[in-house]
Amino acid sequence: MAVRIVIFEDNNALRNSLKTLLAGVEGYEVVGDYENCEGVKENILSLHPDIVIMDIDMPKVNGIEGLCIIKEVLPETAIIMHTIFEDEQRLFDSLCAGANGYLLKNNSFENLLEGIEDALHGGAPMSPAIARKVLQSFHAQNRYGLSPREKEVLQYLVKGYSYKMIAGAIFVSLSTIQAHIRNIYTKLHVNCGREAIVIALRDKIV
């Protein structure tokens, strides 16, 4: 049975080019192509694609909104974000919403084909530049060695909570919070809450 593909792309020339190229691959069938995600729920439920090639910056309903809708109604559908954007915000918004891959449009068509096959078999295809960003973020968030509880306390500090408020929020004693704060300061190599907050925001620890 052919792999069923749906394309969401507002650039008509690119969408038609992708449609033609993918339709020419043995075992692939492009069952739908759209310029935005305005009718994405109805489109997906009627077509039941195996994989979706999804642009991000589209009019009316963009790709990340479309991604969320698809994952809500047909979570098993593999979705590859196909975009020009390398910024971390769109990348992590996409991954958090359930994207199976994130490929840049400046990669070759062969890379897209490899990404499709990878996603269909449970992989998470990413362009090299995107993979580096993910690794950099992972290392930044973990290089300080904070425990999950310490990260939680630090997150409350960033939100402006006092020690007493944090203790109440996570149902522990004030002395326990003070111990966590001391550990956080030691691991971040800081001397006060303001410095801890600066590092937390700068390095995206929370």
Side-chain angles (χ1 to χ4, degrees):
M1 184 179 295
V3 173
R4 297 170 62 81
I5 301 173
V6 169
I7 302 168
F8 291 92
E9 168 63 60
D10 69 327
N11 183 315
N12 292 331
L14 177 56
R15 188 175 71 252
N16 290 329
S17 175
L18 286 174
K19 182 179 178 180
T20 299
L21 290 169
L22 289 169
V25 177
E26 184 177 358
Y28 285 3
E29 179 185 4
V30 179
V31 295
D33 62 286
Y34 306 94
E35 64 180 2
N36 61 50
C37 291
E38 191 171 20
V40 63
K41 183 175 181 179
E42 295 76 15
N43 301 148
I44 294 302
L45 288 176
S46 65
L47 296 172
H48 281 261
D50 299 298
I51 193 154
V52 170
I53 310 299
M54 179 72 78
D55 187 20
I56 289 181
D57 190 21
M58 293 182 287
K60 297 182 180 179
V61 180
N62 68 39
I64 295 176
E65 293 174 279
L67 164 65
C68 294
I69 294 169
I70 294 172
K71 285 299 182 179
E72 181 179 343
V73 298
L74 280 181
E76 69 276 12
T77 302
I79 303 175
I80 295 177
M81 309 309 284
H82 190 232
T83 179
I84 62 171
F85 294 114
E86 297 186 42
D87 63 283
E88 292 182 0
Q89 191 60 56
R90 287 185 177 89
L91 167 61
F92 290 110
D93 284 348
S94 296
L95 296 179
C96 289
N100 299 83
Y102 198 103
L103 299 177
L104 298 176
K105 290 179 180 179
N106 59 11
N107 291 152
S108 68
F109 180 65
E110 287 71 23
N111 289 140
L112 177 59
L113 291 181
E114 291 173 2
I116 290 172
E117 288 299 317
D118 195 9
L120 287 171
H121 293 89
M126 293 187 191
S127 297
I130 297 303
R132 283 194 296 272
K133 287 183 182 292
V134 172
L135 287 174
Q136 287 166 359
S137 177
F138 176 82
H139 291 153
Q141 291 184 31
N142 289 276
R143 70 170 180 252
Y144 294 107
L146 297 179
S147 70
R149 179 62 99 182
E150 288 164 353
K151 285 185 180 181
E152 184 179 19
V153 170
L154 182 55
Q155 190 167 27
Y156 279 113
L157 274 182
V158 170
K159 291 179 179 179
Y161 281 48
S162 67
Y163 291 6
K164 186 175 181 180
M165 290 169 66
I166 298 172
I170 63 177
F171 306 106
V172 298
S173 68
L174 181 58
S175 61
T176 298
I177 293 301
Q178 291 169 334
H180 283 315
I181 295 293
R182 286 195 296 272
N183 290 337
I184 290 168
Y185 287 2
T186 298
K187 291 179 179 181
L188 297 185
H189 305 291
V190 299
N191 298 308
C192 67
R194 182 183 60 80
E195 292 177 352
I197 290 169
V198 168
I199 289 178
L201 294 175
R202 183 194 69 194
D203 293 346
K204 298 184 174 68
I205 299 173
V206 297

